[in-house]
């Protein structure tokens, strides 16, 4: 059996539900020991039971990634029980619409606090140990929304763009020290986080498929991985086009998606 992460301790934030939970299961299939953290630990016992049923081990702690003190303590507790963290998957995140016509600075700040500062806190909790051991792997779950600002998602796009810049900066310094950095930019994934967003969701992907793609990127130690390409190439193109043309394309694309969504809703 191929076990690329055999006995490696992987810390996964936001592991109770959605992509984080599925990543925990996928990494365990690869032999990893799962150290799970989430604000809500009520689903964690069932996750641990699933791991045990697969003859894998793990543990969990409760913490909000935006609370640096609580997060550091949770990571320290897990390392005492399971061993040093060798892979970090900074997955915890939130998202909500921030339309310009009803702009909410508090909603923007909260998304930046969790999605960006939370990633920085998670890295700070494990990086000193990795530097001391001269090995490790930092993985941040960003988003295709990081490629450029998207309508109705100003706060989310800003927070994820910050994640990319943070990880790129760290990669420059850490690569010579045998610490790998991976940025993963998924598109829409079918989870509880996306279900409540009243926005068109092109090429939405089952969480199981998304988790497999993320784990493959981790295994291959990719510096950057974005999917699905059907959506990614449009946003990549919009990054290099003149702003006026890029904005026109995104508005036109958004209107087509809204019409398609309306037709599907009527069926």
């Amino acid at each position: 059996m191929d076990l690329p992460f055999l006995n490696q301790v992987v810390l996964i934030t936001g592991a109770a539900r959605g992509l984080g939970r599925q990543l925990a299961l996928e990494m365990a299939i690869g032999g990893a020991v799962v150290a799970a953290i989430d604000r809500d630990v009520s689903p964690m016992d069932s996750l641990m039971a699933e791991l045990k049923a697969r003859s894998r081990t793990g543990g969990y702690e409760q913490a909000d990634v935006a609370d640096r003190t609580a997060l550091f303590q949770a990571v320290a507790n897990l390392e005492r029980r399971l061993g040093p963290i060798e892979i970090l998957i900074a997955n915890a995140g939130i998202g909500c619409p921030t339309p310009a016509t009803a702009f909410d600075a508090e909603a923007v700040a909260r998304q930046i606090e969790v999605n960006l500062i939370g990633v920085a806190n998670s890295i700070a909790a494990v990086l000193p140990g990795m530097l001391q051991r001269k090995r490790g792997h930092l993985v941040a779950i960003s988003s295709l929304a990081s490629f450029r600002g998207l309508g109705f998602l100003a706060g989310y796009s800003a927070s994820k763009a910050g994640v990319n810049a943070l990880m790129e900066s760290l990669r420059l310094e850490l690569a010579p020290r045998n610490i790998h950095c991976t940025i993963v930019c998924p598109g829409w994934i079918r989870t509880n986080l996306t279900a409540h967003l009243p926005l068109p969701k092109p090429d939405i992907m089952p969480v199981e498929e998304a988790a497999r793609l993320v784990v493959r990127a981790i295994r291959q130690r990719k510096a950057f991985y974005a999917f699905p390409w059907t959506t990614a190439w449009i946003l990549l193109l919009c990054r290099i086009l003149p702003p006026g043309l890029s904005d026109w394309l995104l508005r036109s694309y958004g209107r087509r998606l809204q019409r398609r969504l309306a037709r599907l809703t009527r069926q």
Side-chain angles (χ1 to χ4, degrees):
M1 183 182 293
D2 186 18
L3 299 173
F5 309 110
L6 183 61
N7 297 328
Q8 294 184 55
V9 182
V10 54
L11 174 65
I12 305 176
T13 63
R17 296 181 175 85
L19 180 61
R21 185 184 185 93
Q22 198 62 39
L23 286 172
L25 297 174
E26 288 291 330
M27 292 295 290
I29 290 172
V33 177
V34 174
I37 285 179
D38 205 296
R39 289 183 303 171
D40 179 11
V41 294
S42 56
M44 287 296 200
D45 286 333
S46 64
L47 173 60
M48 294 300 120
E50 284 192 65
L51 295 177
K52 186 176 181 180
R54 301 178 188 209
S55 301
R56 301 297 178 220
T57 59
Y60 69 86
E61 288 284 330
Q62 183 176 28
D64 185 335
V65 294
D67 184 339
R68 188 178 298 108
T69 300
L71 179 63
F72 278 31
Q73 185 61 58
V75 171
N77 292 344
L78 287 167
E79 288 196 310
R80 276 196 295 271
R81 300 204 310 269
L82 303 176
I85 304 299
E86 298 180 67
I87 303 172
L88 164 69
I89 305 180
N91 166 77
I94 60 173
C96 67
T98 46
T101 53
F103 193 74
D104 185 345
E106 289 187 8
V108 172
R110 180 56 181 163
Q111 288 178 86
I112 291 173
E113 183 180 28
V114 174
N115 298 349
L116 175 55
I117 304 304
V119 170
N121 290 341
S122 301
I123 291 169
V126 302
L127 184 53
M130 292 180 178
L131 287 168
Q132 185 177 22
R133 295 186 299 274
K134 299 180 181 179
R135 68 177 186 274
H137 193 169
L138 303 174
V139 182
I141 305 300
S142 183
S143 169
L144 292 183
S146 68
F147 285 14
R148 61 146 290 157
L150 298 179
F152 304 98
L153 292 173
Y156 188 75
S157 292
S159 68
K160 293 299 188 177
V163 169
N164 290 9
L166 173 69
M167 291 292 288
E168 288 165 354
S169 296
L170 291 173
R171 187 177 69 231
L172 287 173
E173 294 187 61
L174 295 176
R177 298 174 180 271
N178 197 35
I179 297 174
H180 305 279
C181 293
T182 297
I183 304 167
V184 180
C185 292
W188 291 105
I189 301 173
R190 192 171 288 112
T191 66
N192 290 337
L193 176 65
T194 61
H196 75 280
L197 292 174
L199 298 169
K201 304 177 183 73
D203 302 314
I204 192 165
M205 183 177 290
V207 69
E208 296 83 3
E209 182 181 356
R212 285 192 292 271
L213 292 174
V214 173
V215 170
R216 186 176 68 184
I218 296 171
R219 179 177 180 176
Q220 295 174 351
R221 292 177 173 173
K222 288 183 176 290
F224 181 87
Y225 182 62
F227 65 93
W229 275 105
T230 47
T231 305
W233 77 265
I234 296 173
L235 294 175
L236 284 169
L237 178 64
C238 287
R239 285 182 64 179
I240 61 176
L241 289 173
L245 180 55
S246 173
D247 291 352
W248 178 83
L249 283 172
L250 284 176
R251 290 193 194 102
S252 299
Y253 184 56
R255 284 193 292 268
R256 287 199 300 272
L257 289 174
Q258 287 173 341
R259 287 195 295 268
R260 188 172 72 180
L261 181 63
R263 287 196 300 271
L264 290 173
T265 303
R266 290 195 296 268
Q267 291 176 357

